[in-house]
Amino acid sequence: MRIIFMGTPDFSVPVLDALVEAGHDIAAVYCQPPRPAGRGKKDRPTPVHARAAALGLEVRHPVSLKGAQEQAAFAALNADVAVVVAYGLILPQAILDAPQHGCLNIHASLLPRWRGAAPIHRAIMAGDAETGICIMQMEAGLDTGPVLLREATAIGAEETTAQLHDRLSGMGASLIVEALRRLPELAPEVQPEEGVTYAEKIDKAEAQVDWSRPAAEVDRKIRGLSPFPGAWCEIEGQRVKLLASKLAEGQGAPGEVLDEALTIACGTGAVQLLRLQRAGKSAQDPNVFLRGFPVPKGSRL
């Protein structure tokens, strides 16, 4: 099929690779424009831009798709379908209608649960037992379109957003190839009105750990916000990111260090910290972290 691919971050790259490997004709790749990054603040292409350029594909990165000229250029590609995954721009109706089979979105949740910007983070933070991938026919509403294909997966007890992100990216790549192969036979499933939830964009202000909360909630926050923006607490007056954890045995005052393995008491129960990062340092396992930054048993975070 002749496909327009629309995506921007790392999550989208395996999908582009899968479409190319499946033999589809990529008419053009749309992504967000390069933006300043790094110490020199030089414009850096997005992951999809870099991968598409390496594959020799045409790359377009308009700042908006609302103008008649951009919409005409999109329509002129005469695509059979557009595949959209974490693109980052709202698609006007003229864009949605341009390809013969419209625009298909790869969404990282089991719709209608977790429509919106941060479905992977929110699923872990909410304690969901499973999540998955939906291939959705796009319409004007926010992730409201009918679902063509879906696949569920269990969320691991110690899984972080980074780990689940990579698993779901691979699942999305496989599922969209299957969806395109079976497109004529797939029956759109209208999303039910019951069970709709919204995955609000992650706000850095919600990243500070409150040790008075139950251990299960603290653990989910740490794993759900890893690696970005990273849950954090203060240890000996320094802000430290907490990037991995698991539930542990123990009890004490909230924030109390219970042992030499960085088991921390919560409002009820305890969590063990498995990955930490000080400002300006790389992420470290507890044994390495404690060699350079002792945290005595009995101290309070």
Coordinates of all heavy atoms in Angstrom, one line a residue, residues 17 38 103 141 211 219 230 238 241 267 280:
D17 N 9.9 1.2 10.7 CA 10.8 0.1 10.2 C 9.9 -1.1 9.8 O 10.2 -1.7 8.8 CB 11.7 -0.3 11.3 CG 12.9 0.6 11.5 OD1 13.2 1.4 10.6 OD2 13.5 0.6 12.6
G38 N 20.6 19.6 23.5 CA 22.1 19.4 23.9 C 22.7 20.7 24.4 O 22.0 21.8 24.5
C103 N -7.1 7.8 8.0 CA -5.9 7.8 8.9 C -6.1 6.8 10.0 O -7.1 6.8 10.7 CB -5.6 9.2 9.5 SG -5.3 10.5 8.3
G141 N -12.6 13.7 17.1 CA -12.5 13.7 18.5 C -11.1 13.1 19.0 O -10.4 12.5 18.2
W211 N 5.8 10.0 51.0 CA 6.0 8.8 51.6 C 4.8 8.4 52.6 O 4.8 7.2 53.1 CB 7.3 8.8 52.4 CG 8.5 8.9 51.5 CD1 9.3 10.0 51.4 CD2 9.0 8.0 50.6 NE1 10.3 9.8 50.5 CE2 10.2 8.6 50.0 CE3 8.7 6.7 50.3 CZ2 10.9 7.9 49.0 CZ3 9.4 6.0 49.3 CH2 10.5 6.6 48.7
D219 N 5.0 2.9 44.9 CA 5.7 2.1 43.9 C 5.2 2.3 42.5 O 6.0 2.5 41.5 CB 5.5 0.6 44.3 CG 6.0 -0.3 43.3 OD1 7.2 -0.3 43.0 OD2 5.2 -1.1 42.7
G230 N 10.5 11.4 36.1 CA 11.3 10.8 37.2 C 10.7 11.2 38.5 O 10.7 12.4 38.8
Q238 N 19.5 16.7 49.1 CA 19.7 16.7 47.7 C 18.5 16.0 47.0 O 18.0 15.0 47.5 CB 21.0 15.9 47.3 CG 22.3 16.6 47.7 CD 23.5 16.0 47.1 OE1 23.4 15.5 45.9 NE2 24.6 15.9 47.8
K241 N 16.4 11.4 41.9 CA 15.3 10.7 41.1 C 15.3 9.2 41.5 O 16.3 8.6 41.7 CB 15.6 10.8 39.6 CG 15.2 12.2 39.0 CD 15.4 12.1 37.5 CE 14.9 13.4 36.8 NZ 15.0 13.3 35.4
G267 N 3.3 5.1 54.1 CA 2.2 5.2 55.1 C 1.7 3.9 55.5 O 1.4 3.7 56.7
G280 N 23.3 15.4 37.9 CA 24.6 15.4 37.3 C 25.3 14.1 37.2 O 26.4 13.9 36.7

